[in-house]
Amino acid sequence: MTPFLERIKKQPLVFDGAMGTMLYTKGVFLNRCYDELNLTNPEIVGEIHKAYSEAGADVLETNTFGANRIKLTEHGLGEKVREINVAAAGIARQYAMDNLYVAGSMGPCLKSGQILGENRREELSEVFSEQAQALKEGGVDLILLETFSHSEELILAAQAAAETGLPVCGCFTLTEEGYTPGGESLEVLMQGLDSCEALDLVGLNCGTGPSHTYNWVERALPLTQKPLIAMPNAGFPKEQDGRMVYLTNPEYFASYAQKFIKLGVSGIGGCCGTTPEHILKASRTVKATSLIKQHVEIKVVDRTASDVQPVPQEEKSRLACLLKQGKMVTSVEITPPRSTDLTGFISKAKACAYHGVDAINIPDGPRASARVSPMIAASIIQKEAGIEAVLHYTCRDRNLLGMQSDILGSVAAGLNNFLVITGDPPKSGDYPEVTGVFDVDSIGLTQVILGLNYGRDFGGNPITPPTGIFTGVGANPCAVSPKLELDRYRRKLEAGAEFAITQPVFDPDALLKFMDEASAFGTIPVVAGVWPLVSFKNAEFMRNEVPGVEVPDSVMERMSRCKTREEGIAEGIRIASEICRTIEPYVQGYQVSAPFGRVELALKVLGMDTTI
């Protein structure tokens, strides 16, 4: 099996959920020493490991959170540290086998209100070392230090654990306000942990639910060069019929698991209140995203060594020619229907053609929805509406063989404008149990198309004549992780992108900042995405539910003042038109969405105030 550190640096891993919560639900009282169960009732511990394994966890944590000499002595078990830890590691390994990693769980010795005095440093160091060595003897793959509230104690534990030679991950807990229970700020804490050579990974666990943890992770990521993991609670506990229960459901937890991975964490798991059901939903969601898929490696075409003359840009399509000439282009995005009746769809495309729009953008299963094939829809409107299509093509639904066949077939049908995007994972749409394919992401597919344009398929076989595809890619000026987005944009340009279309822009300053920073990698025509809002509710949805879209407070405030439906539509058009005027000197066109299929709103944004 690939060593743990090597694996987690390549792709995010899913850790398991709560052990204590599960033992409690199985009838083990809270006053019992849970660690002792590794000796007296290994079957019940094994059942929980088995459940998490079947739920899709990549890492199983040993039932040893309090199995150090200090905590065990409180239960009269201080002399059984080695026996309990070795047994716990063996139980977890039994269910991990050779497929999953086993993390040796170690908790703090100090309570949140205690202070680490100099007179106790040597004692605690010996206590941590004793437990870590026993876990190593039992066969764990890494040491996981959890729920620490004092950075000094966490670093002391890390130094002791590092003596085992195993990878060490140090996790701390924060309150709702973003401080440790001991009063340390996130920034001060991260500074100390990032410089600690004994720690290979850092993380946040316990303390808060997914939402608050997400906020702290977002702040923590730029402060460390180490891989970071997140293991939130299932919300905050509430008393119900005399019991403390966690009310965050698995679906909600899973939605945040996906957000954590997109943010850039290297691992996601659960703490108090999470169950195998939470991990099952999270695992399916995380593993459906392209960000942890092991993509097919694409052989990059050497453009300088190729003897094939690619089709010049101006000959690929009318849109390509206009952009090559430096002209402003206009496009309207119209989503294919869920019905086989394309009458209305074609009528809208004809209206855009009549008013001089240059192209129709056709999404490919937006928000992971099933609609009429965008390839068929694009082909039909080009023939029947007399307007070029920009075909959005996602990597989600087809393997690489199917994608290449689709692309060649589309070109044969006269479709030459492609917008290559990775695609929304199935979990975000109407069919959450469907499996995403993601053999490649948008960067890999751009490389495939570049090869086709140079007369080679992804296997190196000749394609005669070469395709003349005008290749566009997505750009997200308001990405949660700007550094990651800029790096991906650079790689898209290197892969052969010829133009870019952005996510809907509501903050012109963010777009201009992105373009300024991206110019270091080279320049291609940028077509700005524009969305005319229709109501305050629509603005809230865009702000909170659409990844990569940032609606500023100023826009929200303007939309909130609209009292009627008509006022909301008019204000949304005004805002979109103002954005277009502001960014006009810096972009080479607009892709205006037709909200809810209303192309007349898109045309008004483009200055075509015509009743349709």
Side-chain angles (χ1 to χ4, degrees):
M1 191 163 67
T2 306
F4 174 78
L5 279 180
E6 183 181 333
R7 172 82 178 278
I8 200 168
K9 288 178 180 178
K10 286 183 178 179
Q11 65 183 84
L13 298 178
V14 177
F15 287 66
D16 62 11
M19 173 62 72
T21 297
M22 293 304 298
L23 289 171
Y24 179 71
T25 61
K26 289 180 177 292
V28 182
F29 293 116
L30 293 175
N31 60 354
R32 179 82 180 270
C33 177
Y34 281 6
D35 308 289
E36 184 193 16
L37 295 171
N38 297 309
L39 301 179
T40 59
N41 194 348
E43 294 80 13
I44 195 171
V45 177
E47 288 174 9
I48 296 168
H49 287 318
K50 181 174 184 289
Y52 281 124
S53 172
E54 292 175 347
D58 300 306
V59 183
L60 300 181
E61 302 172 42
T62 57
N63 176 38
T64 54
F65 177 75
N68 60 67
R69 182 171 294 274
I70 292 174
K71 293 295 179 69
L72 289 177
T73 297
E74 296 174 3
H75 297 276
L77 300 168
E79 300 305 314
K80 293 193 174 183
V81 173
R82 176 187 169 278
E83 188 178 358
I84 288 174
N85 281 278
V86 170
I91 299 168
R93 176 58 65 194
Q94 178 184 348
Y95 292 95
M97 296 183 287
D98 295 327
N99 302 319
L100 309 180
Y101 298 97
V102 174
S105 172
M106 291 175 53
C109 293
L110 298 178
K111 295 181 172 61
S112 60
Q114 289 182 300
I115 297 175
L116 178 60
E118 285 298 322
N119 60 327
R120 296 202 66 190
R121 296 183 69 89
E122 183 176 351
E123 175 199 2
L124 294 190
S125 181
E126 292 176 355
V127 167
F128 288 129
S129 180
E130 179 184 30
Q131 185 180 5
Q133 293 294 342
L135 287 168
K136 179 183 180 180
E137 182 183 345
V140 302
D141 299 295
L142 69 147
I143 302 297
L144 183 61
L145 308 172
E146 298 184 277
T147 325
F148 279 71
S149 57
H150 298 279
S151 61
E152 283 190 72
E153 186 188 16
L154 178 52
I155 291 172
L156 188 69
Q159 292 168 341
E163 295 173 359
T164 63
L166 295 173
V168 180
C169 177
C171 295
F172 54 90
T173 184
L174 294 176
T175 64
E176 286 184 76
E177 292 74 29
Y179 292 87
T180 67
E184 293 177 275
S185 71
L186 173 63
E187 286 71 21
V188 171
L189 187 64
M190 289 302 299
Q191 184 178 4
L193 299 184
D194 191 58
S195 61
C196 177
E197 295 182 0
L199 282 172
D200 299 289
L201 307 91
V202 295
L204 287 85
N205 81 292
C206 204
T208 59
S211 177
H212 282 90
T213 302
Y214 182 88
N215 294 335
W216 311 145
V217 168
E218 190 173 14
R219 281 171 49 188
L221 276 169
L223 304 176
T224 182
Q225 298 299 311
K226 303 177 189 292
L228 190 147
I229 66 173
M231 295 187 289
N233 289 343
F236 289 99
K238 294 186 178 181
E239 186 173 352
Q240 184 173 314
D241 297 329
R243 294 177 57 187
M244 299 303 290
V245 297
Y246 292 83
L247 301 180
T248 294
N249 63 45
E251 287 74 18
Y252 178 82
F253 186 86
S255 71
Y256 267 93
Q258 184 185 82
K259 292 178 182 179
F260 280 119
I261 297 300
K262 288 187 175 182
L263 193 60
V265 303
S266 297
I268 178 69
C271 204
C272 300
T274 56
T275 67
E277 186 65 18
H278 288 83
I279 300 305
L280 173 65
K281 297 291 185 181
S283 174
R284 286 178 177 175
T285 299
V286 168
K287 293 176 182 179
T289 69
S290 66
L291 298 179
I292 70 163
K293 171 77 178 186
Q294 197 127 24
H295 299 309
V296 175
E297 186 174 350
I298 304 301
K299 192 178 298 182
V300 181
V301 170
D302 185 347
R303 286 177 261 191
T304 59
S306 174
D307 57 359
V308 174
Q309 288 298 317
V311 177
Q313 178 178 321
E314 60 271 19
E315 296 179 16
K316 290 181 175 181
S317 67
R318 179 176 178 273
L319 180 69
C321 184
L322 290 172
L323 289 174
K324 178 70 173 179
Q325 294 170 352
K327 295 183 178 179
M328 290 288 288
V329 299
T330 57
S331 63
V332 173
E333 181 175 287
I334 308 177
T335 303
R338 296 180 186 267
S339 165
T340 56
D341 182 4
L342 298 182
T343 305
F345 179 74
I346 296 168
S347 175
K348 294 171 184 176
K350 285 182 176 179
C352 292
Y354 177 80
H355 291 294
V357 174
D358 295 310
I360 300 296
N361 283 271
I362 302 180
D364 182 5
R367 306 288 291 171
S369 62
R371 296 172 179 273
V372 165
S373 163
M375 289 168 285
I376 300 299
S379 179
I380 287 175
I381 68 160
Q382 287 200 163
K383 291 177 181 177
E384 298 194 22
I387 186 171
E388 275 193 354
V390 176
L391 175 63
H392 296 205
Y393 197 94
T394 74
C395 305
R396 175 189 58 233
D397 305 319
R398 313 155 186 90
N399 67 18
L400 196 48
L401 286 171
M403 285 191 280
Q404 182 170 277
S405 297
D406 280 350
I407 292 167
L408 292 174
S410 297
V411 173
L415 303 174
N416 290 323
N417 302 315
F418 277 70
L419 181 68
V420 180
I421 52 180
T422 300
D424 297 315
K427 181 70 181 178
S428 66
D430 301 327
Y431 315 98
E433 303 304 323
V434 172
T435 302
V437 182
F438 299 112
D439 273 355
V440 291
D441 62 2
S442 57
I443 298 168
L445 187 54
T446 300
Q447 292 173 329
V448 170
I449 292 176
L450 178 66
L452 296 176
N453 281 347
Y454 273 81
R456 294 285 172 180
D457 70 6
F458 72 87
N461 303 305
I463 298 291
T464 307
T467 57
I469 297 170
F470 187 43
T471 312
V473 294
N476 185 0
C478 295
V480 172
S481 177
K483 183 179 178 181
L484 176 62
E485 177 64 18
L486 282 167
D487 181 64
R488 286 184 60 79
Y489 189 74
R490 173 188 60 79
R491 292 166 61 197
K492 290 174 183 179
L493 266 60
E494 293 173 350
E498 297 172 280
F499 72 102
I501 298 179
T502 75
Q503 285 278 61
V505 174
F506 294 99
D507 184 354
D509 290 339
L511 171 65
L512 301 185
K513 181 176 184 292
F514 175 84
M515 292 180 64
D516 182 57
E517 293 176 337
S519 65
F521 315 134
T523 56
I524 57 175
V526 174
V527 177
V530 180
W531 181 288
L533 298 166
V534 297
S535 65
F536 179 69
K537 184 178 180 181
N538 183 213
E540 284 187 315
F541 177 83
M542 295 296 291
R543 182 174 186 169
N544 299 323
E545 301 298 333
V546 180
V549 173
E550 184 70 35
V551 184
D553 291 340
S554 58
V555 172
M556 296 298 294
E557 197 275 330
R558 287 177 64 175
M559 294 303 298
S560 71
R561 295 200 302 259
C562 300
K563 303 303 180 185
T564 66
R565 180 170 171 270
E566 290 73 21
E567 287 180 2
I569 292 173
E571 187 66 16
I573 291 172
R574 273 194 294 272
I575 291 170
S577 300
E578 291 169 11
I579 290 171
C580 289
R581 288 195 295 271
T582 301
I583 64 178
E584 183 174 356
Y586 310 98
V587 299
Q588 212 171 318
Y590 310 111
Q591 174 189 272
V592 186
S593 298
F596 311 108
R598 298 188 60 180
V599 296
E600 72 273 17
L601 304 185
L603 294 176
K604 287 182 179 180
V605 171
L606 294 171
M608 304 169 185
D609 195 356
T610 304
T611 302
I612 300 173

